[in-house]
Structures are given as C-alpha cells and as structure tokens.
Amino acid sequence: MTARIYQRPKSAMQSGKAKTAQWVLEFEPSEARRADPLMGWTGSGDTQSQVILTFPGKEEAKAYAERYGIIARVHQTPPKTLKLQAYSDNFR
C-alpha cells in the first residue's frame, strides 16, 4: 500500500488561502479504472483510492504513515514567486 503526501494547492476558483496549509495523505490506486458496461461510468474495486486524510503538518502525515506501515512519498510544494507590478506598469 503506497501513498502520496502533498500540500493542497489553491484552486483556480479560489482567491484566498483557505485549506492551503493542510497536508494530504492520499493512497495511490492499486488497480486500473474500468468502464461499467451498463451505464458507462468509470470505477474500480479499489476502496483505498476514496480515502483522503488531512493533517496540519507534513511531520504529522509522515508519522501517521510510519505508524501504520504505509509507504509514502512526500511531494514538496514548489516555492511561491510573486510578480510585483504597479498599476502604472500597465500603461508603459
């Protein structure tokens, strides 16, 4: 059972920073998704892919994975770069 630990990114529809400080432990899918022949919906028998755990910090997520014997890979968040621009720069 393998998992990914990452910091939740800000969505495109979000202007604030709500829930971006949380770290997420998400299990990687163990089997491929397949289409249901009757309805055409995609699904799989893997129930672990539905489990998403949130933690206040990276260390708590790593400790949880170690405690329960989960092999976890930590994906670091890329550094945020700000493009500082004055309003008058629009008219240059």
Side-chain angles (χ1 to χ4, degrees), residues 34-42:
R34 58 189 179 279
D36 182 42
L38 180 62
M39 298 297 289
W41 298 340
T42 58

Side-chain angles (χ1 to χ4, degrees), residues 59-76:
E59 300 304 322
E60 289 89 349
K62 286 169 59 176
Y64 179 86
E66 288 176 8
R67 186 178 334 129
Y68 290 102
I70 300 168
I71 301 167
R73 291 183 295 137
V74 178
H75 296 276
Q76 295 295 333

Side-chain angles (χ1 to χ4, degrees), residues 2-14:
T2 60
R4 293 182 290 236
I5 297 175
Y6 61 93
Q7 193 170 16
R8 185 174 288 173
K10 186 172 83 165
S11 74
M13 302 302 293
Q14 181 178 356

Side-chain angles (χ1 to χ4, degrees), residues 22-83:
Q22 293 180 346
W23 285 80
V24 177
L25 186 138
E26 183 177 43
F27 292 97
E28 294 179 353
S30 63
E31 66 180 53
R33 292 179 167 261
R34 58 189 179 279
D36 182 42
L38 180 62
M39 298 297 289
W41 298 340
T42 58
S44 70
D46 181 25
T47 57
Q48 288 287 15
S49 64
Q50 300 172 6
V51 177
I52 298 174
L53 302 172
T54 58
F55 298 92
K58 177 174 57 171
E59 300 304 322
E60 289 89 349
K62 286 169 59 176
Y64 179 86
E66 288 176 8
R67 186 178 334 129
Y68 290 102
I70 300 168
I71 301 167
R73 291 183 295 137
V74 178
H75 296 276
Q76 295 295 333
T77 307
K80 296 178 177 88
T81 57
L82 296 175
K83 181 181 175 186

